[in-house]
Amino acid sequence: MISKHKISIAGLLLGTLFFAFSLTPSLLPRTNIMQGLISGFAFTLGYGLGVLSRWLWACFELPIPNKRIQKIITYITGSICLLTVIIFLWQATGWQNSLLTLMGLESSAIMRPLIIGLIAAGIFLILLFLARLFRWTFRYLSDQLHRIIPRHVSYGFGLLAAVIIFGLAFNGVLPSLILRGADASYKQWDRQIQPDLEQPTDPMKTGSQASLLNWDEMGHYGREFVVNAPDTDDLKQFTDQPVKKPIRVYAGMRAGRFKERAKLALQELKRVGAFERSVMVLNTPTGSGWVDPAAIQPIEYLYRGDIATVSAQYSHLPSALSLIFEGEYGEEMAQALFQEVYGYWSGLPEADRPKLYLQGLSLGALNSDRSFDLFDIIDDPFHGVLWSGPPFRSETWRRITAQRKPGSPAWLPRFRDDAVVRFANQNGGLEQGESPWGDFRIAYLQYASDPIVFFDPRIFWHEPEWMRQPRGFDVSQNLNWYPMVTMVQLAADMVAGTGAPVGYGHEYAATDYLQSWIQLAEPPGWSREELERLQAFFAERDKRKTQSKEL
């Protein structure tokens, strides 16, 4: 038998195959560092599968070639692996540049084999060390147990004990350390008051001396959200009709516990006259408390400032960490705020209350979806929702997508007669309906190239429907599904999703929000020429944002 200290030939062959597949395009362009990480994990997966197959071969006592034939097999395998790596590395730059071209960027990608290889090798060695540490732990525990119980029983208990030890380390101790460190770091950053932001002096603004919500307790993104609202001069550029200062209310983490934050937000809304406006938007922010300006500003312009927006922070952590470690916090905060705002709003005379919409991006969309129960609002529904980039874990989104009309693609579904639910992307979609859109409206804005929407753990062994033809225009035709490897690629795309140009991936464009709000909220009094000017204004802002990301 081959020594346990030698490299597995089957592992090397499958690992190389997985490494090659990892160089093919997925949803988003990659840097050399990200490609090295993906390739390292992919090679390790393939290598582990090869080792497992070799172990099963030995367990079934199948014939093993003699040393001479093994040597020949080794040389042939090595040659095949080397040739495969060279061919796929040669193609990698072209594949990445095709993605850049698809997204309207310059073809500037250069895949550097040395960087990719070194990073991939480092990942493989780290994971190989952990695997061998697990094997050593299992054998050590089994040997100790064998002193008091039979060998075959000691193997079972040894394996169970090793799994428990490593499970506690990677599901308990290690995540706890990561969470504590990250939370402390982000909490400190969140409390720092930006020197370029001045506390509002207008007593009718949240964060002012007259406000019920303290400026120092609003958090980094809360202060940005409140201060960076468009003023009346901005709004007058696009309309001759009367304008108002948009109202923005934000409750930071330090304002109290969930219910306290929600109650303070409601009291602040009443203090500044928010319920006297024509429209109110209940926003659920991302994990760190960020409210996407591209989502809120278009409707503020469309309603000429006659609008109030309220939001409340539920975490200091970015969405990815918040989703893993603090998922329930966002749901509880969203529910508390909805109950306070909707409870007061539904008690007002119908003719004297604003239109009420819910809005959320990414993790905010997920928690916004969980903030209300349809049976609680069915007698007096609010007006609608706009959820963008809904994470794949969103149960409502998954159910609607699974039950879509036959013939409609998974990346832009049509649901029943379009009277309640509609989907949009870069080319619109909310204007399409077999039946008129009802009074209660659910709108999804999603891009086919958004990995946070279309990632699914089942991709590990099953090709997803959104990869079938016809594909979204922003998805590469060179993308292919490979078992295990594609899941690693998409997991990496989720990390890099906000690094895409505006209008692709998880970077939602203000122009697409504008079109969505026009269809969803139907703002009155706009001519076609005025809307085209507003569209051009936000298109220029999207362009500048993409250029700043490239720099």
Coordinates of all heavy atoms in Angstrom, one line a residue, residues 414-451:
R414 N -42.2 35.7 -12.7 CA -43.5 36.3 -12.8 C -44.4 35.5 -11.8 O -44.4 34.2 -11.9 CB -44.1 36.3 -14.2 CG -43.3 37.0 -15.2 CD -43.5 38.5 -15.1 NE -44.9 38.9 -15.4 CZ -45.3 39.2 -16.7 NH1 -44.5 39.1 -17.7 NH2 -46.5 39.6 -16.8
F415 N -45.1 36.1 -10.9 CA -45.8 35.4 -9.9 C -47.3 35.5 -10.1 O -47.9 36.7 -10.0 CB -45.4 35.9 -8.5 CG -46.1 35.1 -7.4 CD1 -45.7 33.8 -7.1 CD2 -47.0 35.7 -6.5 CE1 -46.3 33.1 -6.1 CE2 -47.6 35.0 -5.5 CZ -47.2 33.7 -5.2
R416 N -48.0 34.5 -10.3 CA -49.5 34.4 -10.5 C -49.9 35.5 -11.6 O -49.3 35.5 -12.7 CB -50.2 34.6 -9.2 CG -49.9 33.4 -8.2 CD -50.6 33.5 -6.9 NE -50.3 32.4 -6.0 CZ -50.7 32.3 -4.8 NH1 -51.5 33.2 -4.3 NH2 -50.3 31.2 -4.1
D417 N -50.8 36.4 -11.2 CA -51.3 37.3 -12.2 C -50.6 38.7 -12.1 O -51.1 39.7 -12.6 CB -52.8 37.5 -12.2 CG -53.3 38.0 -10.8 OD1 -52.5 38.1 -9.9 OD2 -54.5 38.2 -10.7
D418 N -49.5 38.8 -11.3 CA -48.8 40.0 -11.1 C -49.5 41.1 -10.3 O -49.1 42.2 -10.2 CB -48.3 40.6 -12.4 CG -47.6 39.6 -13.3 OD1 -46.6 39.1 -12.9 OD2 -48.1 39.5 -14.5
A419 N -50.6 40.7 -9.7 CA -51.5 41.7 -9.0 C -50.9 42.1 -7.6 O -51.1 43.2 -7.1 CB -52.9 41.1 -8.7
V420 N -50.0 41.3 -7.0 CA -49.5 41.6 -5.7 C -47.9 41.7 -5.8 O -47.3 42.6 -5.3 CB -49.9 40.5 -4.7 CG1 -49.2 40.8 -3.3 CG2 -51.4 40.5 -4.5
V421 N -47.3 40.7 -6.4 CA -45.8 40.6 -6.4 C -45.3 40.8 -7.8 O -45.8 40.2 -8.8 CB -45.4 39.2 -5.9 CG1 -43.8 39.1 -5.9 CG2 -45.9 38.9 -4.5
R422 N -44.2 41.7 -7.9 CA -43.5 41.9 -9.2 C -42.0 42.0 -8.9 O -41.6 42.4 -7.8 CB -44.1 43.1 -9.9 CG -45.5 43.0 -10.3 CD -46.0 44.2 -11.1 NE -47.4 44.1 -11.4 CZ -48.1 45.1 -12.1 NH1 -47.4 46.1 -12.6 NH2 -49.4 44.9 -12.3
F423 N -41.3 41.7 -10.0 CA -39.8 41.7 -9.9 C -39.3 42.7 -10.9 O -39.8 42.8 -12.0 CB -39.2 40.3 -10.2 CG -39.4 39.3 -9.0 CD1 -40.7 38.7 -8.8 CD2 -38.4 39.0 -8.2 CE1 -40.8 37.8 -7.8 CE2 -38.6 38.1 -7.1 CZ -39.8 37.5 -6.9
A424 N -38.1 43.3 -10.6 CA -37.5 44.2 -11.5 C -36.0 44.0 -11.5 O -35.4 43.4 -10.5 CB -37.8 45.7 -11.1
N425 N -35.3 44.3 -12.6 CA -33.9 44.3 -12.6 C -33.4 45.6 -13.3 O -34.1 46.6 -13.3 CB -33.3 43.1 -13.3 CG -33.8 43.0 -14.8 OD1 -34.4 43.9 -15.3 ND2 -33.5 41.9 -15.4
Q426 N -32.2 45.6 -13.9 CA -31.7 46.8 -14.6 C -32.6 47.3 -15.7 O -32.5 48.5 -16.1 CB -30.3 46.6 -15.1 CG -29.3 46.2 -14.0 CD -29.1 44.7 -13.9 OE1 -30.1 43.9 -14.1 NE2 -27.9 44.2 -13.7
N427 N -33.4 46.5 -16.2 CA -34.3 46.8 -17.4 C -35.7 47.0 -16.9 O -36.6 47.0 -17.8 CB -34.2 45.8 -18.4 CG -32.8 45.6 -19.0 OD1 -32.1 46.6 -19.2 ND2 -32.4 44.4 -19.3
G428 N -35.9 47.2 -15.7 CA -37.3 47.4 -15.2 C -38.0 46.1 -15.0 O -37.4 45.1 -14.8
G429 N -39.3 46.1 -15.0 CA -40.1 44.9 -14.8 C -41.3 45.1 -14.0 O -42.3 44.4 -14.1
L430 N -41.3 46.2 -13.2 CA -42.5 46.4 -12.3 C -43.7 46.9 -13.1 O -44.8 46.9 -12.6 CB -42.2 47.4 -11.2 CG -41.1 47.0 -10.2 CD1 -40.9 48.0 -9.1 CD2 -41.3 45.6 -9.6
E431 N -43.4 47.5 -14.3 CA -44.5 48.0 -15.1 C -45.3 46.9 -15.8 O -46.4 47.1 -16.4 CB -44.0 49.0 -16.2 CG -43.1 48.4 -17.3 CD -41.7 48.0 -16.9 OE1 -41.3 48.2 -15.7 OE2 -41.0 47.4 -17.7
Q432 N -44.7 45.7 -15.8 CA -45.4 44.5 -16.5 C -46.3 43.8 -15.6 O -46.0 43.4 -14.5 CB -44.3 43.6 -17.0 CG -43.3 44.2 -18.0 CD -42.2 43.2 -18.4 OE1 -42.3 42.0 -18.1 NE2 -41.2 43.7 -19.1
G433 N -47.6 43.7 -16.1 CA -48.5 43.0 -15.2 C -49.7 42.4 -16.1 O -50.2 43.1 -16.9
E434 N -50.0 41.1 -15.8 CA -51.1 40.5 -16.5 C -52.4 41.2 -16.0 O -53.4 41.3 -16.8 CB -51.1 39.0 -16.2 CG -52.2 38.2 -16.9 CD -52.1 36.8 -16.6 OE1 -50.9 36.2 -16.8 OE2 -53.1 36.2 -16.2
S435 N -52.4 41.5 -14.7 CA -53.5 42.2 -14.1 C -53.0 43.5 -13.5 O -51.8 43.7 -13.2 CB -54.2 41.3 -13.0 OG -54.6 40.1 -13.5
P436 N -53.9 44.4 -13.2 CA -53.5 45.7 -12.6 C -52.9 45.4 -11.2 O -53.3 44.5 -10.5 CB -54.8 46.5 -12.5 CG -55.7 45.9 -13.5 CD -55.4 44.4 -13.6
W437 N -51.9 46.2 -10.9 CA -51.3 46.1 -9.6 C -52.2 46.5 -8.5 O -52.8 47.6 -8.6 CB -50.0 46.9 -9.6 CG -48.9 46.3 -8.7 CD1 -49.0 45.2 -7.9 CD2 -47.6 46.7 -8.6 NE1 -47.8 45.0 -7.3 CE2 -46.9 45.9 -7.7 CE3 -46.8 47.7 -9.2 CZ2 -45.5 46.0 -7.4 CZ3 -45.5 47.9 -8.9 CH2 -44.8 47.0 -8.0
G438 N -52.4 45.7 -7.5 CA -53.3 46.0 -6.4 C -52.9 47.1 -5.5 O -51.8 47.7 -5.7
D439 N -53.7 47.4 -4.4 CA -53.3 48.4 -3.5 C -52.2 48.0 -2.6 O -51.4 48.9 -2.1 CB -54.6 48.7 -2.6 CG -55.7 49.3 -3.4 OD1 -55.4 50.0 -4.5 OD2 -56.9 49.1 -3.1
F440 N -52.0 46.7 -2.3 CA -50.9 46.2 -1.5 C -49.9 45.6 -2.5 O -50.2 44.6 -3.2 CB -51.3 45.2 -0.5 CG -50.2 44.6 0.4 CD1 -49.6 45.4 1.3 CD2 -49.8 43.3 0.1 CE1 -48.5 44.8 2.0 CE2 -48.7 42.8 0.9 CZ -48.1 43.5 1.8
R441 N -48.7 46.1 -2.5 CA -47.7 45.8 -3.5 C -46.4 45.3 -2.9 O -45.8 46.0 -2.0 CB -47.4 47.0 -4.4 CG -48.7 47.5 -5.1 CD -48.4 48.8 -5.9 NE -49.7 49.2 -6.5 CZ -49.7 50.3 -7.4 NH1 -48.6 51.0 -7.6 NH2 -50.8 50.6 -7.9
I442 N -45.9 44.2 -3.4 CA -44.6 43.7 -3.1 C -43.7 43.7 -4.3 O -44.0 43.1 -5.3 CB -44.7 42.2 -2.5 CG1 -45.5 42.2 -1.2 CG2 -43.3 41.7 -2.3 CD1 -45.7 40.8 -0.7
A443 N -42.6 44.5 -4.2 CA -41.7 44.7 -5.3 C -40.3 44.2 -4.9 O -39.8 44.5 -3.8 CB -41.6 46.1 -5.7
Y444 N -39.7 43.4 -5.8 CA -38.3 42.9 -5.6 C -37.4 43.5 -6.7 O -37.8 43.5 -7.9 CB -38.2 41.4 -5.7 CG -38.7 40.7 -4.5 CD1 -40.0 40.1 -4.5 CD2 -38.0 40.5 -3.3 CE1 -40.5 39.4 -3.4 CE2 -38.4 39.8 -2.2 CZ -39.7 39.3 -2.2 OH -40.2 38.6 -1.2
L445 N -36.3 44.1 -6.3 CA -35.3 44.6 -7.2 C -34.1 43.7 -7.1 O -33.5 43.7 -6.0 CB -35.0 46.1 -6.9 CG -33.8 46.7 -7.8 CD1 -34.1 46.6 -9.3 CD2 -33.5 48.1 -7.3
Q446 N -33.8 43.0 -8.1 CA -32.6 42.0 -8.0 C -31.9 41.9 -9.3 O -32.5 42.0 -10.4 CB -33.1 40.6 -7.5 CG -34.1 40.0 -8.5 CD -34.7 38.7 -7.9 OE1 -35.1 38.6 -6.7 NE2 -34.8 37.7 -8.8
Y447 N -30.6 41.7 -9.2 CA -29.8 41.5 -10.4 C -29.5 40.0 -10.6 O -29.2 39.4 -9.6 CB -28.5 42.3 -10.3 CG -28.7 43.8 -10.3 CD1 -27.7 44.6 -9.7 CD2 -29.8 44.4 -10.7 CE1 -27.8 46.0 -9.6 CE2 -30.0 45.8 -10.7 CZ -29.0 46.6 -10.1 OH -29.1 48.0 -10.0
A448 N -29.5 39.5 -11.8 CA -29.1 38.1 -12.0 C -27.7 37.8 -11.6 O -27.3 36.7 -11.3 CB -29.3 37.8 -13.5
S449 N -26.8 38.9 -11.5 CA -25.4 38.7 -11.2 C -25.2 38.9 -9.7 O -24.0 39.0 -9.3 CB -24.6 39.7 -12.0 OG -25.0 41.0 -11.8
D450 N -26.2 39.0 -8.9 CA -26.1 39.2 -7.4 C -25.9 37.8 -6.7 O -26.9 37.1 -6.6 CB -27.3 39.9 -6.9 CG -27.1 40.3 -5.4 OD1 -26.2 39.8 -4.8 OD2 -27.9 41.2 -4.9
P451 N -24.7 37.5 -6.2 CA -24.5 36.2 -5.6 C -25.2 36.1 -4.2 O -25.5 35.0 -3.8 CB -23.0 36.1 -5.4 CG -22.6 37.6 -5.4 CD -23.5 38.3 -6.3

